[in-house]
Every structure is written in structure tokens, then in C-alpha cells.
Amino acid sequence: MKAYPPSIANLIQAFSKFPGIGPRSAERMVFYLLKSEPQESHRMADLIVRVKEHTFFCSQCFNLSEAKLCHICTDENRNPEELLVVEDPKDVIAFEKAGTFRGYYHVLLGSLSPQEGIGPDEIRLKELLQRVDKGTIKEVILGTSARSEGEATVLYISELMKNRPVTVTRIARGVSVGHTLEFTDQATLARALEGRHAVKS
Ligand SMILES: [Zn+2]
């Protein structure tokens, strides 16, 4: 990379920071920009700035949103008695693509991981409890991953719900072993949701 002028070398280095993008891909991205029309790089730069300035976490469910409440939380045609708990906004997108869930979501923005020092206060559990304690929700569906962190999160939430008047179910296992939900195909995800079982009634 030393052979490149600084403006190119710096951009290659910047693109290399994206997940899954190595120096060679970063190099190809820079050359794509060099070959394209000037307005193309302006457009890209604008989009990058925009995504940070205009995207927030929904104040209710912590899904990504351009407004205080996301498009799912403001959709009144959904079932307020069902709440699907996931780890990441990407999981909401996966379930929405599967298309069978008609309740609301709660995004934890992580999962419990004692090894990594992620405890209950680091993820959106307090906010989950506040929503459940409003009394409308009848079923909390755990759509967390089957990784050990997801497992710890399931146990913790089941414990939290113990004396609360809600059913806690969990999506069928086997769908996300070794994978995050985003890589699970839509039909499998729909089946996993359909095949959910009670962990606390
Ligand atoms: Zn929301």
C-alpha cells in the first residue's frame, strides 16, 4: 500500500475497517470510486454521513429508526399481547422478512456474556421489564441465538419473568446453532417461531 499516494492509501485503510472487507476488497472499492463519476463519491459520502445523523434506536423497542418510535412500534395493526425479544436490530429484519410474526419486538442490543463482562445492565433488560409491567403483554417470545450467550440471556429473562403474569416461550432450537439469526433462511425462521415452546407458563 506504500506505493499509493496518501489519499488512496488512507481510503483503502478506512474501507479495510468494515467487517468482512480485507485490504484487497478495500483496494477494489477505492478503484471503483476512482473510475466512477465524481457525483457517485459525493452520493456515497452523503449516505455515510446521513446514516449516522438520521438513524437512532427506537425509544421503545431499540430497533433502528429514523424517528423516536420505529415503524413497527407505530403500527397499530399488530398484536400488542406478543413481544418477540431479539439481540440485534438485524434479527428484527430477519423476522420481518420471514413475515409471520405480527406482534411487537424488543431489541436487547446484545446478550449476556459474563466472559466479556456484559451484564444485565449493559443490555436493554430494564426497559423490557418496564414494557412487560405495563400489563398488556401476555407472551414474551425469546428469539435470542442458540450460542451460549443467548442461552444465558434466556435463563436470565425466564428468571426475571417468574412472578410476572406472562408466558415465556422460546423459538425452536436448531435454527441458529453456530449461526446468528440473520443467516437463517426465512422459511426456517418462520418454522422456528411456529414451533416455539414454553419455558415458563
Ligand atoms: Zn420500535
Side-chain angles (χ1 to χ4, degrees), residues 85-101:
V85 179
V86 296
E87 294 172 20
D88 194 279
K90 279 184 285 191
D91 301 332
V92 173
I93 293 169
F95 277 110
E96 285 297 286
K97 277 189 188 155
T100 55
F101 181 65

Side-chain angles (χ1 to χ4, degrees), residues 120-134:
D121 293 339
E122 269 77 38
I123 61 175
R124 303 296 178 165
L125 281 171
K126 188 172 66 158
E127 292 84 351
L128 171 64
L129 280 184
Q130 283 165 356
R131 291 181 77 181
V132 168
D133 287 341
K134 281 181 184 158

Side-chain angles (χ1 to χ4, degrees), residues 58-63 69-73 105:
C58 169
S59 63
Q60 180 164 271
C61 76
F62 302 97
N63 184 22
L69 287 176
C70 73
H71 69 286
I72 296 174
C73 286
Y105 293 91

